[in-house]
Structure formats: C-alpha cells, structure tokens
Amino acid sequence: MAGASEIVIENAPVAPDGVEEAKPKGGQNRSGLSVVIDGFLNLLSSVPFGIVLLVLLIIGCMIGMLIQQQELESFPAYYAELTPAEKVVYGRLGFFDIYHATYFNLLLLLLSLNIILASIDHFPAAWSFITRKKLTASPTFAMAQKFKEKVELPQLGHQQLVERATAAARKMRFKARVTQTNDRTTIFAERGVWNRLGAYAVHVGLLTIFVGYFLTGRGHTGSMRIDPNQSSDRMLKNEFNIDNANTEHAINVRELELPFTVECLDFQQKLINKGGSLGLGNTLDWFTTVRITDQETGKKTDALIHMNTPFDYRGYRFFQQSYGMPATARVMKLRVTPTSGGQSQEITVPRDGEAKLADGTRIRLNWFHANFSVGRDQQVVASREQMFTSMEYENPAANLGYVTPDGKQGEVWAFNETFANQVSNAPFMKKFMDNGAYQFVLTDFEKAPTSSILSIQFDPGARVVYAGFTILCLMLIAVFFFSHQRLWIVVEEGNVYLGGDANRNRLGFEDRAKKVAGLVRDPQSLKNIGHE
Amino acid sequence: MSQAMKSINAAMGAKEAAAPQVGLGKLPFANFLPAILPLVGALLVLAARIKFGPSVTPADGTLVVLGLLSYIFAAAALVTNFWAPIGFLQRLGLWTGSLGFFFNLAGWLVRWVAAGERENWIRITENGKTFFSYIPYTNLYDLSVAFAFGAAFTTLLISNRPNTRFVGAISFPLIMLILLMAVFIGDRFVDLPPVLDSYWRPIHVGVASLSYGVALVSFALSVVYLIKDGVKSEAIGVAVTAFFIVGYIVVWLMGGFKAFDPASFNYSLNPVL
Ligand code: HEM
C-alpha cells in the first residue's frame, strides 16, 4: 500500500500556503530528547520503514512455513530428523514456535503502529481531494497536465462550448462542476474520488487481521485421544523445550484443562470396501459421537464430529484428526454352539456392551485381535509392533469374557470360520475355542480402530481474521480496479483546453479523456466510432 | 525485421471486420465456433458415456492421448504459420487445436464418470456427498489435464479476434508439453484420502487450474508482444534462464534443503505440505 500512499502525496492538490513549510513550534531550541523522539516518530511513520518491517515479517512467516511448528502432530518425527546443531539454533531462535516468539509479535506491533501513524500522516492530503477540489484552472494549468488536448472551435459561442463540454464530460460518466470566472469557464470533471480513501480501507483490513492474529495468539491447539465409553477433559499439546534440546525430553506434552468433559459415545470408520483394510485409501469417513458436559452449567450436548465437519462448542472447535490403532471391531456377530450338540445361537456383541445367551450367560469382548496367531509355546502371539501398525485383518479373533448364571467367570476365543475350521482338529487349540459348554465362532464384524483422535482448537481470533481478509480482498479490488480521474476543461476565447490525470490506469483515463475531447469537437463522434 | 515480427505486426494491425478466418462465412459467432463446438461435443461424449457405459466411448486416457496428438499437430501448424504465413496453416492449426480441446475435455469428463463407477458411487449413496466427490482433481495428472483444456479453451476463445489469433502459436506448444507431462505421469486412479473428500477440493483446484490456463495464455500474449516489439531473443532467453534459476533455488529451499538438491543427486521431492 506504500505505493498508493506515495501517489497520494505526489498528486496532492496544492496545499494552502504555509502548510508544507510548517515546522514544529520552537524548532530552534529543542532539547536533545525531543529530537530523538521526533526522529523516532518520523521513522516509525515512514513508509520505507513499514516496507522493511513487512519484509522481515514475511521472512518470519516463511521460516514458520519451512520449519515445522511445535504444535503439529508430526512435529516429534520431524524434530528427530534434525541435526543437534539445528535443534539448538532453531530452538534458541524460537523457530519452532515463531508465531509466539516475542520478536515476531514485536515486529507485528511495530508494523501496526507504522500503518496507523503513516495513515494519520497521509490522510489529510487524501481527504483534501474530497473536501478541497480544485474547481478552477487556467489554460496553462490544463496544458501542463499529463494528458492534454486543445480543441479550437472559434465558430461556436462561449456558452455553447461550455454546454457541449459539460455534456461530453457527463456522457463519459464524469461528475462535472462548472465554475465561471470572468471570461473563463472551468469544468471540473471527476470520477472515483473515493479511490483516494481506498488505501485507508485496505489498512483497516490489514489491522483487523493483525488484531485477529493477536487474539489467536491467546488460543490453543491440541489433540485428544479418546476411546468409546471414555471421557476426558484434557487436551494435549506438544511443547518444545529448549533446555533439553538434545535429549528425549525435548518435546513435552502439555495437558490443558478444558471447561467441559468430552465423552465418546461411539466411534465408527466407514470403509469403501468392507472387506478391505483400515487404510486411508479404503476409508470414506470416521464418525465420532461425543457428549459434552459443561462443567459450569452441567448442560449436556451431543454432537457428531467427522471429516471436514467440525463441531463448535464455546469457542472450541473439534475436528476429526486421526485414529488410533490397534484395529478392533465395533460390533461383532458370533455363532454359539453348545458343545453337547444342539441348536446354535447367533448373538451380536457391541465393542463395549454385553450380549446374553439363552441360558443367561453374559458375554463381553475383552480384546480383539486382527492378526491372531499362536506361537510354539502354544501361547497367543501378540506383537505390539504389529498391533499398533497393521491396518489389515488377516486372521481376526475375539477374546471374550463370560459369566455364567451361576457366577462362573472365564475367557474364551472366538475365531473366524476359516481359522476355526483349520484348527478345530488341533487338540491344543480346543482349550482356546470353547469354554466347556459352548464353542464360539466369529461370523462377522464391523472393522474399526480403537481410538478416535480429535484435534481441538481454541481460536478467539478466527472470526476477526476472516473479517479482516474479507475487507482486505474487497478493498484491494476496489483500489486497484478503479482510479481517481480528474479532467479540467477550460473554455476561453473559443478554445477548449482539456488537461487531467489519474492516479492509476492512465491509459484507460486517456482513452476516456480523448473521447471527451472528441465529443467536444463533434458531439456525434462516439456514434461514428461505434463504441459504447 | 524477422518474418515472425512481420506476421505479428500484420495480424495486430488487422481490422476487426476483415475476418473470414475460420472459413465459416459471416455468422456473428462463427469465430467462436472453435471454442464452442468442442464443448458441445465433449458434453455429448459425456452423455454417451453415462447412458451407454464404458464400451461406447474411448477410455479417458485414450481421449487425453488423442488430445495430445491433436495439440502437437496444432502447435506445428501454428508455429510454422508464424514464419511462413499461410492462411491454410492458420485455419488448420485452429481447427486441430479445437479438436484437441474436444478430446482433452471429453477425456476429463469421462474420467469423472470412470472415477465414480470405480467406487460404485459409494460416496454419494452411502456418505451423503455429491458427484463432486469424484471430480478429476485428485493429483497432478488430473490437474494437468484440466490445466491443458483450460488453456486451450482460453486460447480458442481469444482466437475469435484476428489480432490475437497468433497466440495459439505460443500457447499450443506449451499446452502440448503440459499434456505430455500428464501422459508421462500416467492415468492411474488414486484413492482419495477422506480429508480431500470436501467441497473445497473442486473450489480449490478448480480455481487454481482455471487461473493456470488464463495465466498461460497471458504469458503467451506477453511473449508475443516482446517479439512484436523486436526484443532480442537472446534477451528473452537470459531473462527466462534467470527466472528458472531463482525458481530452482526457491523450490530447493522449500524442500528444506533436501529436495532437488543438486549436490546430493537425490531428486526426491520433499515438499513442506
Ligand atoms: C490436484 C490438485 C491439488 C490437491 C489435491 C491439493 C490439495 C491440498 C491440500 C490437501 C492442502 C492442505 C490443506 C490443509 O493443510 O488443510 C492444500 C493446501 C494448499 N494448496 Fe493445494 N491442492 C491441489 C492443487 C493446488 C494448486 C494448483 C494450488 C495453487 C496454484 C494450490 C495451492 C494451495 C495452497 C496455497 C495451499 C495452502 C498451503 C498452506 O496452508 O500452507 N493447490 N492443497
């Protein structure tokens, strides 16, 4: 915007005598301190200084873009890849959290101040375009303008020329004001004078964004890992810790307390191919159903959070961020056959609920194993590594807990049909597969990960920033796609002198002014050209 | 004055009225036909693909390659016309360019349907989304195909005026290169990650590819102006090289010093995003 402001000065109408020379009172005997303060204020309100600040800020933002910021989920992995020197240098310079670094905020504050002071400095000149229009001009003045043209029409009377020129200016959509002085008439034709104020509106937009930024700085971003039937009132936030830059404690996880409790009611992953894996390429969406209990009012609010559909509560915004392994089942269907022979039953067990057999035995899921295998020692192999990374269900099995009506408790495995058939003859597998009374087979289940990971943002500045960007975009368009055009048409002694200028799009202005001159020469001229 | 400068200056000076350029008489919109006919044709192909299935229309990849071939033809004709002005070459270039636009756009539209059928439109039937979930804007291939037809359409649109018609001589070779790159990337479908299944994707990539097309044609126009004003081709070459080097360094920095690293011979792109 600096350019626009400068143009304002360049084209400012002649200031009343004395204004430009006006100096602070008592210029001769100022103390050293006031000289320093004056110099500082001058620097602070100067446009070049603003540009320097802007460049520094942009460099800061680029650093923030190139170097991962600490609150990101992927930050720990990124950090681990850095060299020890990078860790310390970037850390000391605050690069891992640059938008909260003191110097960055100071720069932004200075820039805000600079914009305000520079605006105050330049505003009177811009304002005088509106309040003190130069309504009269001499032929010499008109002929000294960037655009100038002289039309000689001695055969027409003065009044006729004035009317023609006024009509021509109005036809080309200028606002025309006629001022008579002695035997000279000036038609001051003007368009888009508001354009002079556009720069200030742009500044308002910028400052609004900055205000939003400072508000955002008071916010937090974190995440919450939550399983169905669990509650939490904490969000976790990565924080870089410079004093431990090269130890495993470099990144702390800070817990922030929320003013409400989040309970996960359900977590579902919708797959494209239900037989496929939990991988991203096979996923339509994740759905987390939560119940939020306000700690102040006790009010309960139910909400569904899924991809690209966040939920807002008291300024907090919940996003579906990710999901946590191991792969499990949301609901499963079991076929339960009495070992003594007889009718088998079908039951459905939800991941956190129970199902009852006809005889009153209660069944619940202890844990689900997507890749079940048995080792040499006849123990179930459960590799943590595989459980927490594999998205496949190669050999699913469910470990069930049961309580018989007479209070006997125990656990038993329900294998999928293929595996159950394969191993039903292996004698040692028997002990896994039935509890004495029943044999359990996993006939079907709905795949799901164990945990939902929500991202939680508390951003008090978001709306302000949006408003600021809206203002900025609209005003930039208004400023750069329009211009302030002035044309002085001086009628004197059978001659019409046209002279004028525009603060932008000079070619467009000259085209328009030429048409005005053409219309003065021949009011029918536009029709002949065939334009407009 | 080189022949290229002469051709451009002659074309720029051409009067609006003198213009049976596409050889279709004096219909008021005849000069827009190279831009409009392919639109209609591509929509017909789309309709046929929807109504009768994959067996009646060529596959999207085939259509894109046909588009590329037409663009190569158009580029050759128009570039030749630059140095050896022949009215026939001009018309041939315009119409083969138009044919290329038809294949290019039809390929993109057919791909849209193919992407939906590949998943049996499950995002619409089971996840409450619209057919925009299947818009071919998922990777660089899709984007390049759209970029190419956007630029071709813009070129054909502004070719309605005789004094900007030679823009095709610069833009069609570029469009050809872009589509060639797309063909090298390959037309495999990618599985859309759920986060990208959002109405922002058509907006985000649509606006981007549209602006690319317009920017390409603006670039062509400005190059033409440089040639017209007799700027030495060496000077243009130096400027382009300088720009390339700066761009190279920026991309290198963007990769956190790891991508496009000339010292490491490791050209894996490691973008920040
Ligand atoms: C097939 C094409 C494209 C896809 C799939 C795509 C996808 C994405 C994704 C996933 C993001 C990150 C969004 C997030 O962080 O929430 C993004 C950001 C962005 N994309 Fe694209 N994009 C495509 C094309 C383009 C093009 C052609 C442009 C520019 C001309 C562009 C400009 C941007 C910008 C400026 C951002 C924001 C970066 C930031 O926030 O730091 N994208 N895009």
Side-chain angles (χ1 to χ4, degrees), chain A residues 354-408:
Chain A
E354 279 189 348
K356 249 192 194 148
L357 296 181
D359 70 355
T361 304
R362 302 205 312 270
I363 309 285
R364 58 176 299 118
L365 176 70
N366 283 341
W367 60 296
F368 192 91
H369 205 328
N371 299 288
F372 179 88
S373 67
V374 182
R376 280 217 197 104
D377 54 359
Q378 303 187 3
Q379 294 296 313
V380 176
V381 180
S383 132
R384 266 188 79 77
E385 176 67 21
Q386 195 199 24
M387 274 174 63
F388 282 92
T389 55
S390 173
M391 314 239 175
E392 309 290 336
Y393 289 74
E394 272 154 21
N395 189 27
N399 184 273
L400 308 169
Y402 63 85
V403 185
T404 59
D406 51 8
K408 210 178 94 195

Side-chain angles (χ1 to χ4, degrees), chain A residues 65 270 272 281 283-284 308, chain B residues 122-123 126 191 194-195 198 272:
Chain A
M65 189 176 76
K270 253 197 194 171
I272 297 173
T283 303
L284 283 178
N308 295 320
Chain B
I122 190 173
R123 292 174 200 275
E126 288 195 19
D191 296 320
V195 67
S198 153
V272 186

Side-chain angles (χ1 to χ4, degrees), chain A residues 333-336 414-417 420 433 439-443:
Chain A
K333 287 207 172 79
L334 302 171
R335 190 175 64 236
V336 188
F415 296 128
N416 60 78
E417 305 226 40
M433 288 176 66
Q439 196 190 53
F440 296 83
V441 174
L442 181 64
T443 53

Side-chain angles (χ1 to χ4, degrees), chain B residues 85-147:
Chain B
I86 304 171
F88 169 72
L89 279 182
Q90 161 98 76
R91 277 200 294 279
L92 182 74
L94 210 55
W95 282 114
T96 43
S98 176
L99 191 68
F101 172 46
F102 159 71
F103 284 130
N104 189 174
L105 179 62
W108 188 77
L109 290 173
V110 164
R111 186 171 174 82
W112 196 331
V113 181
E117 286 178 356
R118 176 174 167 264
E119 285 183 358
N120 207 13
W121 304 102
I122 190 173
R123 292 174 200 275
I124 302 175
T125 53
E126 288 195 19
N127 213 26
K129 297 284 167 71
T130 66
F131 59 90
F132 278 113
S133 278
Y134 291 105
I135 193 168
Y137 275 147
T138 55
N139 63 359
L140 194 57
Y141 174 81
D142 294 352
L143 181 69
S144 314
V145 171
F147 178 12

Side-chain angles (χ1 to χ4, degrees), chain A residues 272-290:
Chain A
I272 297 173
N273 164 18
K274 293 189 177 50
S277 82
L278 291 179
L280 291 185
N282 190 34
T283 303
L284 283 178
D285 209 342
W286 298 271
F287 296 89
T288 308
T289 316
V290 293

Side-chain angles (χ1 to χ4, degrees), chain A residues 29-41:
Chain A
N29 49 4
R30 289 187 310 166
S31 69
L33 184 66
S34 79
V35 171
V36 171
I37 292 178
D38 242 32
F40 179 67
L41 279 180

Side-chain angles (χ1 to χ4, degrees), chain A residues 1 81 102 111 187 207 232 246 274 277 362 427 441 499 519:
Chain A
M1 282 339 312
E81 293 274 301
T102 319
L111 182 63
I187 297 141
L207 291 172
S232 170
N246 277 313
K274 293 189 177 50
S277 82
R362 302 205 312 270
V441 174
L519 281 170

